[in-house]
Every structure is written in C-alpha cells, then in structure tokens.
Amino acid sequence: MNADPLVRTAAELVSPDRGILAADESNSTIANRFDDIDTESSLDNRRAYRELLFTTPDMERYVSGVILYDETLRQEAADGTPFVQLLASKGVQAGIKVDQGPQPLAGYPGEMVTEGLTGLRERLKEYADLGASFAKWRAVIEIDPDAGIPTAAGIDANAHALARYAALCQEQGLVPIVEPEVVMEGSHDLAACEAATEHSLATVFEHLRRFGVLLEGVLLKPNMVVSGKTCPTQASVDEVAAATLRCFRRTVPAAVPGIVFLSGGQSPQDATAHLNAMNAMGPSPWELSYSYGRALQQPALAAWLGKPQNVEAAQRAFGQRARLNSLARSGAYDASMELAA
Ligand code: 13P
C-alpha cells in the first residue's frame, strides 16, 4: 500500500467548503427517481441528467468529488468528453460505487449483508485505470427493536465485508468510502438509532483495524442519529446534532480525516440544517461534510422533469443546494437562506 496518495486524496475530498455529490444510483434506483418525474430511464436520459449535474456552473466550488455508477464512469458528455475528464478539468475527483447491493443474510430474517467481494480486486484495477480515485461500499442496517434487529451477527457480517473492501481499495490505490447506513425506516426513537449506530460504528472500526486498513486513508459515510421516519416524536435539529456527535466521539478514531454524511431520506433542508448544527457545535477531530444523493439532487430532478428546456433551472436548483451545504460545512448556513433562494 502506498499511503501518501491515499492520505492526500482523502484530505482533498474533505477540503474546506466542499463535499461529495453521490450520483451513483444504480440503473434500478435512477429508474425510480425518473419515474417520480415521469421520465423514461433511457441510456441517453441518464447521460443527459448526469451531464446536467456535472456541468452546473460553479459546482466545483462546492463539490470535491462525485460518486459514479459503473455505466456513468464509462460515459461521455454530449461533446464527446469522458465524464471523468470533464470532472478532472474542474478539479473534481471521480469515485465509483463498487458494492453489488444487499442480499438477505442467511439465518437472520429481516437483515441484509452487502455483497460484491468476488472479483473486486480486478474491478478496482479497471476503475483505477479509468480514472477513479475513490470508491464506495454501502452496508444496510435496519432497526426493528421488537425483532431484536440489528443483531450482532448482522452488524459483524457487514463490518467484515466493509473492512475487506476497504483493504482491497487501499491495495489498489483507491480511497475507500466506508458506508454503514443505519436506515431511517421505522417508528423507533432517537435512542434506538443512536444505540444501533454506536454498535455498528464500533464494530466497523474494530474490523478496519483487524484487516490493517489505514485510517488516515479512508472516509466514513454514516447516517446521522435521527428519529425513525414514523416515530411520533421527532428529535429537533440540535438534538440530532448532539446525539450524532456524541455517538461519533465514542466510536470514530481521530485519525479518520473526514465524516461525509449520507442524507438517507431526510429532506434537503433537514440534511443541511443538521450538518450545519454539528459544525456550529465544533470543533471536532474530523472534518464533517456531505456525500448526499437525494438531498443534493431532489430539487434538481423536480426542476428538470426530463425536459431539455429545464436544464438551466435544474442546474440553478442543484447549484443552490450545493452552495447551502457548502455553507453548512462551517456552520454559516441559516434557514432564512432557503426563503431568499
Ligand atoms: P442519500 O444521500 O440519498 O442517502 O444517498 C447517499 C448514498 O450514496 C447512499 O449510498
């Protein structure tokens, strides 16, 4: 493993005022997003939509890296410029989703384990040749307190896979984004999310150490500690920020350069407000940044509606969201900015 480039890449991805755009929806996920706006998920529509995002004016001021799906990593803009080259020309790094999705965990009904380790070394080699500098693997941890979920076995299986993925990435010179996502679905309260997140993160870092992963050369992409989506009592912005920071201080070593949150189904405004509150409570041992998918893209999709004449409006919506999240990196965002926008 060559440590220096990994450390540099990770540090660059969490450099001040910028964060990551997760645009790595698999073809089935992007089809769902396009369904919501009555747009066909054709190869060309997917290409046009990603081009819209990547050519948004000033996006490089707010975006340090973009996570791509295999198809997009190999695609070109309308003028023939490969997307990876287009991003690189703006100083934006290309990342790649390399997991192959969650499958039911045998013997543990209701729990999943993410697959994709077979042949991963060869795939990583090819992605590095295609210009990717970082990768992502997402584990899915559900909460169902009545069923005793998550179990220690479910958490262990996912942490093991994340650590083997991370070690392979570093061997091939790619920075691994380690994403153990405790999902928001359910009626559980904030405390249940905190307990599951703490257990999961503690286990993930135990496995990263066991497999010799260089902590200075990884980024953690976790959920925030939030109330379940259908919990009757929803925690406030400050409660979410305080619980999330408490959980990370207990589990995430200070050697990790950055925590890049997923949005996980939070509204774009909530995702920005929560990140802002955590940074305003600082200082923290790690950079606290974003790697949002839906929270960065929802307003853009709603403005685009699959129509070429809406591209500029969609770019404005994306640029605006990216700018507000950039402000949240230093605690400089205020909800009143939403109205001004
Ligand atoms: P969301 O921000 O929409 O949760 O997506 C982030 C991501 O990359 C999930 O793997």
Side-chain angles (χ1 to χ4, degrees), residues 35 98 131 178 202 276 284:
D35 263 357
V98 301
V178 172
N276 188 68
S284 287

Side-chain angles (χ1 to χ4, degrees), residues 185-207:
E185 276 63 35
S187 58
H188 56 272
D189 61 9
L190 188 79
C193 180
E194 183 169 356
T197 304
E198 186 172 330
H199 183 174
S200 167
L201 289 177
T203 309
V204 164
F205 282 100
E206 198 181 302
H207 281 76

Side-chain angles (χ1 to χ4, degrees), residues 25 47 77 92 105 126 142 216 263 280 295 297:
E25 298 83 3
R47 198 205 54 70
V92 176
L105 180 63
E126 191 196 0
E142 302 206 30
E216 289 81 355
S263 59
Q297 294 185 51

Side-chain angles (χ1 to χ4, degrees), residues 17 20-22 50 57 108 113 126 131 134 174 217 307 309 325:
D17 305 325
I20 295 171
L21 164 66
R50 268 67 181 248
Y108 291 87
V113 63
E126 191 196 0
F134 67 106
L174 291 146
K307 297 187 169 57
Q309 65 268 31
N325 282 302

